[in-house]
Amino acid sequence: MTDDTTAVVDTRPTKIMYVAEATAHGGRDGYVTSQDGQIDLRVAMPPALGGDGNGTNPEQLFAAGFSACFHNALVLVGRRSGFDLTGSTVAAKVGIGPNKQRGYGLAVALSVSLPVLDAGIASKLVDAAHEVCPYSNATRGNIEVTILLG
């Protein structure tokens, strides 16, 4: 239930256009594969979490997915507004740590570079992309997402 000042926005898809499939074998010390064979990666705990770091980890994969998805949303809203975003980039940092419920949580920082646009236009496009991006919609309200425009 929400109060009168908070509007709940339904961001669920109305039609599924694509389904990705991946399987983990061995959790954080194993490997991950995708159904189509495009992903076949060793997964290892990073040294900061007590592992050997000899593989990727879920946070790196999430950072890669979020940055690619957000960048695509940014290019889409830029194109719709008549702007060419050639040379733009989005980098993601995903942090993991304990939460107050004795589990773990994530925090995301996106660094957006739009070198050919003035700050006002860039900010409006980033805000619009944050509304369009499926990762932004999936994380809104449960993961802290900070967007840095530089």
Side-chain angles (χ1 to χ4, degrees):
M1 189 166 200
T2 63
D3 62 77
D4 294 345
T5 61
T6 305
V8 176
V9 177
D10 186 355
T11 60
R12 295 175 295 176
T14 58
K15 175 183 174 184
I16 301 297
M17 298 168 55
Y18 170 74
V19 175
E21 296 179 48
T23 303
H25 312 263
R28 286 182 173 268
D29 277 317
Y31 63 100
V32 292
T33 59
S34 62
Q35 175 272 336
D36 64 1
Q38 293 296 312
I39 297 174
D40 187 355
L41 299 170
R42 178 166 157 39
V43 180
M45 292 281 276
L49 297 179
D52 64 16
N54 289 326
T56 191
N57 59 67
E59 293 72 37
Q60 287 176 326
L61 296 170
F62 191 73
F66 205 151
S67 63
C69 190
F70 194 89
H71 193 230
N72 195 71
L74 188 60
V75 169
L76 174 71
V77 299
R79 184 173 44 237
R80 287 178 179 169
S81 298
F83 296 102
D84 178 5
L85 300 186
T86 300
S88 63
T89 60
V90 176
K93 293 181 180 179
V94 174
I96 184 171
N99 63 24
K100 293 178 182 177
Q101 285 73 43
R102 300 183 67 193
Y104 291 86
L106 300 175
V108 175
L110 299 175
S111 296
V112 179
S113 174
L114 294 166
V116 297
L117 297 179
D118 74 47
I121 292 171
S123 181
K124 287 179 182 176
L125 292 178
V126 166
D127 289 345
H130 197 40
E131 295 301 315
V132 170
C133 175
Y135 276 64
S136 293
N137 288 327
T139 59
R140 187 171 289 112
N142 58 23
I143 293 177
E144 181 182 341
V145 176
T146 304
I147 301 176
L148 308 167
L149 184 56

